[in-house]
Structures are given as C-alpha cells and as structure tokens.
Amino acid sequence: MAQPKENMFNYIEETLKPMSLEECKKMYSDWGAEYEKDMPGCQYHAYEGAAKGFLELNLPKDSKILDCGAGTGLLGAQLVERGGFTNIDALDGCEQMLEVAKKRNIYKNIFVTYVTPDKELPIAEESYDALVMVGVFCPGHFPMQIGTFKQLLRIVKKGGIMSWGMANPDRYAERDETYANQGFQKIQQKLAEEGLIEVVEGHPKEYSNYFKGENGFFYAVRKL
C-alpha cells in the first residue's frame, strides 16, 4: 500500500488500534509489496533493536528459532547476517508478507497462521529453543490475553526462551483497554505466578529508536 511519505506517520498510527482479525489480514495483505519500501519513511527500526537484544542472550548459533510474526523477514535477516543463526523458521498470518520473506532464503520452514488465545498453533509442543518477535504486541495484532502467551509457550522447550521487542506498552493504554492499568505487565506477572515463566535477568532492556525516535523495550522470559 504505497503512501506519500509525509503521511506515513499518521498511517502507521492508524494501524496501531484495535481491529478484527479480518481487518488486520487485509491491511497486511494490501501492504505486503510496499512494506519494506515504506519503513524508512516511518523511522521504524524496531527489528534492529530486537535483533541486538536477542544476540545479547548468547544462544548457540544452531538453536532452533521461530521468528513469530515474521512479516517480510526483516528481523530474521538480522539474526542471520549479524548473529550467524542457521536454524530459523517463520510464522505469520499474512501469506503476502511471507512471500516476500521466502525470497530471502533464510527460513527452513514457514507457517501461515495467526496467533490467537483459543486456537492451537499447527506446531508440535516444545519444538523450539527460542521464539523471537517484534512489533506483534500492539493494538490490532496479537491479542493481549494470557491465552496468547500460553499458545506461544506451548511450542517452546522447557528452559527455552520467549523474547520480543515492543514499544512502551503504556503508549497504547488510551486506545486499547487491554493495555490500560498495566494490563500487559499483569499478564506477565500472572504467568510467573502460575510457574510458567521466569524473567531473564536484566530484562526488559530499553533500547533507542524503536519507532519515530521513541525508545522500545526488549523482553526475554524463560519457560519453566
């Protein structure tokens, strides 16, 4: 979806609001071919900071990794080019975005599916050493419910890592009630109280220039 560069900031903000699964799918399907061309005009550097945070976890280079919400593969490309990782799969709900990602030839397997709290992902339990994501926890994208996290944790090995980069969750509190009153933080607390995760020491880490010059955060939790 080509957009005049002077309107890109407004357009991006319009994508970060509550929407149905069908609306989200149409948005990215229409946008897929122009997505990477538009990103510089949005000052979107989230995937670079997320890659840096992931590399600092110092996981083995042959770790089996799922790039979840992979889009066109911007984050996966960083993991290969900067980190030397060799065993990465991709998952995204938008086939048009994944068609772009396929051309990078960096993913061993590709899954076309959305992540929801009530539908089991088409992946075997405890398949991955690590999950990495960026830009998926925001209004209109992965549902902000504890079930969403449990679906993701199901496919991570015990002792494995689930990690993600995101904007400050408080920036969404006024536009999406699930983020209000520290809703995002409370989900993580609940997962920890249920004995499902522990926060990796030193996380979340703040990093600069996530989007529009705003700082972002890189989270990492370990499955118990």
Side-chain angles (χ1 to χ4, degrees), residues 6-142:
E6 62 270 18
N7 294 330
M8 279 308 300
F9 286 157
N10 291 337
Y11 176 73
I12 290 295
E13 288 293 347
E14 281 297 306
T15 72
L16 301 175
K17 64 182 182 182
M19 69 181 85
S20 69
L21 185 62
E22 291 74 19
E23 290 172 320
C24 184
K25 183 175 182 179
K26 184 179 187 308
M27 177 182 73
Y28 281 110
S29 296
D30 291 344
W31 198 9
E34 299 293 329
Y35 181 81
E36 292 190 21
K37 295 177 184 178
D38 288 340
M39 286 302 97
C42 303
Q43 296 182 23
Y44 180 79
H45 304 283
Y47 60 95
E48 297 170 338
K52 180 177 183 294
F54 189 81
L55 298 185
E56 290 174 354
L57 294 171
N58 295 314
L59 299 179
K61 301 304 182 186
D62 62 350
S63 296
K64 189 173 183 181
I65 299 166
L66 179 65
D67 181 1
C68 191
T72 61
L74 289 170
L75 175 55
Q78 292 278 310
L79 298 184
V80 173
E81 294 165 10
R82 294 169 55 185
F85 288 98
T86 60
N87 193 8
I88 310 177
D89 292 346
L91 180 151
D92 199 275
C94 178
E95 189 170 2
Q96 286 80 359
M97 298 286 272
L98 287 175
E99 285 299 321
V100 179
K102 286 178 184 178
K103 296 176 183 178
R104 298 183 184 277
N105 295 315
I106 60 174
Y107 296 114
K108 290 193 170 182
N109 300 288
I110 290 181
F111 302 95
V112 183
T113 184
Y114 279 92
V115 178
T116 65
D118 52 5
K119 181 181 178 182
E120 189 171 285
L121 294 169
I123 297 172
E125 185 175 346
E126 297 190 10
S127 290
Y128 291 98
D129 299 303
L131 264 59
V132 63
M133 301 167 275
V134 69
V136 300
F137 292 120
C138 52
H141 291 67
F142 285 15

